[in-house]
Amino acid sequence: MRVYGVTGWKNSGKTTLMERLVTEITGRGFSVSTVKHAHHATEIDHEGRDSYRHRQAGAREVLVASPVRWALMHELREAKEPPLAELLTKLSPVDLVLIEGYKREPHPKVEAHRRETGRPLLAGENASVRAVASNAAPEGLSVPVFHLDDVGTIADFILKEVGL
């Protein structure tokens, strides 16, 4: 499976870049799935819903199905978070999986960077960062630098990197 990541510090533009890349790449006729990593307990279900009640009762997995989508929620129940490689096996085959977060995983990634965050670039310290997408013009990097809004060029770079 072809995977490519978007990483960066909080408020660096990761989610906006992911959204724009999905639109751009699917618009070119490729199928794309995404994985989003969160450092906190992510709640995709809400109190009062039947599926929430099933999970609260102790179900390990709850599958919700409708005529337009289905979703599977898996409760870890004190188990360790599965590694990214294991989670990727849960996805149906697509042309490209875009991964948001997981900055320490070895898959190739582009770093989203906004000068306003005041945070240093990851690119100098993380060999899996293959390019930087920034609203500034960072210098002295050994990887390509794109403007954060130049989504077409960033998509070209990613697709070339993964062989699509």
Side-chain angles (χ1 to χ4, degrees), residues 1-3 30-34 88 91-98 164:
M1 187 175 315
R2 293 175 173 106
V3 300
F30 295 105
S31 58
V32 177
S33 289
T34 64
L88 290 172
L91 296 175
S92 298
V94 291
D95 295 318
L96 177 64
V97 177
L98 289 173
L164 288 176

Side-chain angles (χ1 to χ4, degrees), residues 4-9 101-113 121-133 141-145 157 161:
Y4 213 90
V6 173
T7 195
W9 299 108
Y102 286 102
K103 64 176 66 104
R104 290 174 185 80
E105 290 289 325
H107 63 276
K109 51 190 77 78
V110 61
E111 177 181 356
H113 173 260
L121 285 163
L122 299 166
E125 306 293 320
N126 186 332
S128 68
V129 173
R130 303 278 179 86
V132 172
L141 295 173
S142 61
V143 297
V145 177
F157 177 81
E161 284 262 295

Side-chain angles (χ1 to χ4, degrees), residues 6-158:
V6 173
T7 195
W9 299 108
K10 184 177 179 175
N11 297 321
S12 63
K14 296 182 304 293
T15 302
T16 300
L17 181 57
M18 283 281 291
E19 178 182 16
R20 294 173 75 193
L21 285 169
V22 170
T23 299
E24 177 73 22
I25 294 170
T26 59
R28 296 181 187 192
F30 295 105
S31 58
V32 177
S33 289
T34 64
V35 174
K36 162 70 173 135
H37 187 255
H39 293 285
H40 49 82
T42 300
E43 194 62 61
I44 60 171
D45 201 9
H46 302 284
E47 190 172 347
R49 307 296 304 183
D50 293 349
S51 52
Y52 181 92
R53 293 171 59 193
H54 296 186
R55 287 189 306 116
Q56 292 304 306
R60 173 71 53 126
E61 291 188 328
V62 176
L63 192 142
V64 180
S66 77
V68 294
R69 77 183 50 88
W70 65 269
L72 176 64
M73 292 174 279
H74 181 96
E75 292 293 317
L76 293 176
R77 305 269 183 230
E78 308 301 321
K80 291 178 78 172
E81 178 181 358
L84 176 59
E86 181 181 330
L87 294 173
L88 290 172
T89 68
K90 310 283 187 202
L91 296 175
S92 298
V94 291
D95 295 318
L96 177 64
V97 177
L98 289 173
I99 301 168
E100 182 178 343
Y102 286 102
K103 64 176 66 104
R104 290 174 185 80
E105 290 289 325
H107 63 276
K109 51 190 77 78
V110 61
E111 177 181 356
H113 173 260
R114 288 192 180 280
R115 178 180 34 226
E116 304 83 59
T117 66
R119 300 295 305 252
L121 285 163
L122 299 166
E125 306 293 320
N126 186 332
S128 68
V129 173
R130 303 278 179 86
V132 172
S134 178
N135 68 345
E139 297 178 2
L141 295 173
S142 61
V143 297
V145 177
F146 305 109
H147 193 279
L148 194 52
D149 291 330
D150 191 359
V151 177
T153 302
I154 298 166
D156 290 341
F157 177 81
I158 290 170

